[in-house]
């Protein structure tokens, strides 16, 4: 008897078939030929200058306000080194939030306060109550197609967030690697556009081209970028300029818009397939219905924990993540994140059918 294929719902990785392999091969060659003297050498911690300029134009910012690094997660780590070296180490995050950021925050001794996330962004009453008790250094927030919940922050909450950041003097760390992957609806302004002096906005090519080049960047106030650059220099002798140059050539050749369209065409039906399968096999689950990104999430029925479901799921070749990892202050026992981009619609249907069966047997 053949063993059923393992369906992996644990990792938010891009689909392998989404990689623009041929165009990146051309871009890498072009980059080495045109910029070899610079990108085969050590370079500035701010990153490859033509890429900074290209990104600044794309994001309607100044090149001085852009720093390109080796992945966006590492920049968050640099910020923790800079901002959490004092006695005041309180930071706010959404609950749930990106588990790797929680790990980094803990590594730097942050005192993490969780603000519950609603379908349209952070619970503002809870945020205001937390601000009466704490003075955070920053609020780490993923406003677009949040990882892990799939929620997008409303325009009204974005404006309230920047008003609170100004009033209470904290920074907003806006992590936005999924922002370009909108499958329906209208984009809201990013927090940085609303308050450039109060926001460090991160993004990355990990979800647009691939995670391999490790190309992340931050747009923010120049004084902070200078400190981040110093911190980067203390960590690595040079950013990965070969990747910077290759991605620059890819973008300069005008390939990015078509690549983003390709991703949307590939991923939107995968989101739909997951929701259709949930409606059919697990109609009581009330999943989030994101307008883009990589993830949707749901709360398992009362009395059914993700831990129990995970153990049983593993027996039928279904891999699920432990929901508790996304909650910094406890909770998440019944939380389930479903990353849908790296599975085909058929695999998603099979995965959700298996999930429904396991949930029924666990209840
Ligand atoms: C919200 C969020 N931030 C950062 C990252 C990591 O990005 P990078 O590969 O640029 O370090 C991810 C990857 O899954 C993510 O979901």
């Amino acid at each position: 008897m053949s063993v059923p294929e393992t369906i992996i719902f644990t990792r938010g990785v891009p689909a392998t078939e989404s990689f623009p392999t041929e165009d990146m091969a051309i871009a890498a060659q072009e980059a080495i030929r045109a910029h070899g003297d610079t990108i085969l050498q050590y370079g500035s911690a701010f990153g490859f200058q033509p890429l900074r300029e290209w990104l600044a134009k794309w994001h309607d910012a100044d090149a001085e306000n852009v720093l390109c690094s080796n992945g966006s997660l590492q920049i968050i780590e640099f910020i923790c080194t800079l901002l959490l070296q004092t006695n005041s180490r309180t930071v706010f995050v959404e609950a749930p939030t990106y588990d790797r950021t929680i790990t980094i925050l803990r590594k730097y001794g942050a005192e993490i306060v969780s603000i519950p996330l609603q379908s349209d962004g952070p619970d503002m009453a809870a945020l205001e109550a937390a601000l009466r008790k704490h003075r955070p250094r920053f609020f780490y927030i993923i406003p677009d197609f949040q990882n892990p919940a799939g929620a997008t922050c409303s325009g009204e909450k974005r404006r309230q967030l920047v008003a609170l950041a100004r009033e209470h003097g904290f920074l907003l760390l806006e992590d936005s690697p999924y922002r370009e992957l909108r499958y329906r609806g209208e984009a809201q302004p990013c927090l940085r556009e609303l308050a450039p002096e109060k926001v460090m906005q991160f993004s990355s090519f990990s979800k647009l081209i691939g995670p391999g080049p490790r190309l992340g960047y931050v747009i923010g106030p120049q004084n902070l970028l200078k400190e981040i650059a110093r911190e980067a220099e203390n960590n690595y002798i040079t950013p990965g300029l070969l990747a910077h140059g290759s991605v620059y050539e890819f973008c300069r050749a005008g390939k990015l818009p078509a690549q983003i369209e390709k991703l949307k065409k590939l991923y939107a039906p995968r989101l739909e397939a997951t929701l259709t399968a949930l409606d059919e096999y697990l109609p009581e689950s009330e999943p989030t219905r994101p307008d883009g990104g990589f993830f949707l999430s749901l709360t398992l029925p009362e009395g059914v924990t993700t831990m129990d479901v995970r153990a049983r799921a593993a027996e039928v070749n279904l891999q699920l993540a432990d929901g508790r990892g996304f909650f910094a202050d406890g909770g998440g026992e019944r939380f389930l994140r479903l990353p849908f981009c790296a599975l085909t619609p058929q695999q998603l249907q099979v995965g959700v059918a298996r999930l429904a069966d396991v949930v029924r047997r666990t209840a």
Side-chain angles (χ1 to χ4, degrees):
M1 214 175 73
S2 69
V3 179
E5 178 192 19
T6 300
I7 307 284
I8 301 174
F9 272 131
T10 42
R11 300 190 62 208
V13 296
T16 311
E17 64 272 30
S18 75
F19 298 148
T21 310
E22 195 47 41
D23 283 337
M24 274 303 284
I26 296 167
Q29 272 203 5
E30 187 56 33
I32 294 168
R33 291 213 175 93
H35 316 286
D37 288 357
T38 309
I39 66 175
L40 297 177
Q41 185 56 280
Y42 295 114
S44 155
F46 282 93
F48 185 50
Q49 184 62 18
L51 179 64
R52 292 176 73 201
E53 284 164 19
W54 191 91
L55 285 169
K57 237 188 215 148
W58 189 33
H59 289 294
D60 202 12
D62 290 327
E64 292 71 36
N65 297 103
V66 180
L67 179 144
C68 302
S69 177
N70 301 338
S72 63
L73 200 58
Q74 199 173 15
I75 310 177
I76 294 175
E77 179 146 14
F78 296 153
I79 290 186
C80 288
T81 322
L82 291 171
L83 297 185
L84 302 182
Q85 296 290 8
T86 65
N87 287 334
S88 95
R89 292 161 179 268
T90 303
V91 303
F92 286 5
V93 300
E94 297 162 297
T97 190
Y98 180 38
D99 51 345
R100 283 184 180 270
T101 299
I102 297 177
T103 305
I104 291 175
L105 292 172
R106 289 211 173 111
K107 183 169 146 191
Y108 288 91
E111 285 151 26
I112 305 175
V113 175
S114 292
I115 309 298
L117 179 68
Q118 299 170 321
S119 60
D120 63 345
D123 178 337
M124 298 310 287
L127 174 59
E128 290 189 41
L131 284 168
R132 283 194 285 275
K133 283 201 218 144
H134 305 279
R135 285 181 63 84
R137 302 301 318 261
F138 57 76
F139 184 6
Y140 170 78
I141 171 167
I142 309 163
D144 295 287
F145 321 126
Q146 204 247 17
N147 180 5
T152 289
C153 187
S154 68
E156 195 187 330
K157 285 193 175 178
R158 287 173 198 243
R159 282 182 279 280
Q160 289 171 3
L161 277 167
V162 301
L164 287 171
R166 282 178 171 145
E167 186 186 333
H168 294 266
F170 61 90
L171 272 177
L172 289 161
L173 302 196
E174 176 179 32
D175 197 1
S176 50
Y178 305 101
R179 183 170 166 83
E180 301 304 322
L181 298 176
R182 175 173 280 282
Y183 312 139
R184 57 184 169 220
E186 290 287 309
Q188 295 296 333
C190 53
L191 297 173
R192 176 183 52 85
E193 283 171 54
L194 297 175
E197 82 290 0
K198 277 284 160 215
V199 181
M200 306 284 286
Q201 183 183 20
F202 306 87
S203 195
S204 156
F205 285 92
S206 291
K207 305 299 178 328
L208 301 182
I209 289 179
R214 306 306 305 126
L215 213 167
Y217 57 96
V218 58
I219 310 174
Q222 229 187 330
N223 58 335
L224 274 167
L225 287 202
K226 281 187 184 152
E227 290 188 52
I228 293 172
R230 213 172 308 123
E231 198 47 46
E233 256 164 23
N234 292 341
N235 276 271
Y236 45 67
I237 193 163
T238 183
L241 295 181
L242 184 54
H244 289 196
S246 306
V247 169
Y248 166 68
E249 281 301 329
F250 182 90
C251 294
R252 192 190 61 83
K255 301 270 172 66
L256 193 59
Q259 168 67 5
I260 292 174
E261 281 314 303
K262 181 178 105 177
L263 294 173
K264 290 183 188 176
K265 278 212 182 78
L266 183 66
Y267 294 154
R270 295 182 177 197
L271 169 58
E272 282 316 309
T274 316
L275 288 170
T276 305
L278 283 167
D279 289 344
E280 184 179 342
Y281 298 114
L282 211 51
E284 66 280 23
S285 65
E286 294 182 19
T288 55
R289 293 181 183 270
D291 291 331
F294 269 44
F295 309 99
L296 61 82
S297 63
L298 53 92
T299 304
L300 292 171
E302 204 129 343
V304 179
T305 69
T306 316
M307 274 304 277
D308 290 341
V309 170
R310 265 182 100 203
R312 295 217 170 149
E315 292 165 10
V316 294
N317 295 327
L318 177 68
Q319 293 183 11
L320 304 173
D322 184 349
R324 294 173 303 180
F326 303 107
F327 291 77
D329 293 330
E333 288 79 5
R334 287 159 50 216
F335 179 84
L336 186 63
R337 178 185 80 167
L338 294 181
F340 52 82
C341 286
L343 297 167
T344 64
Q346 228 249 316
Q347 288 170 321
L348 288 161
Q349 197 201 15
V350 171
V352 171
R354 273 187 216 165
L355 171 68
D357 184 47
V358 170
V359 169
R360 298 251 146 70
R361 286 194 286 115
T362 312

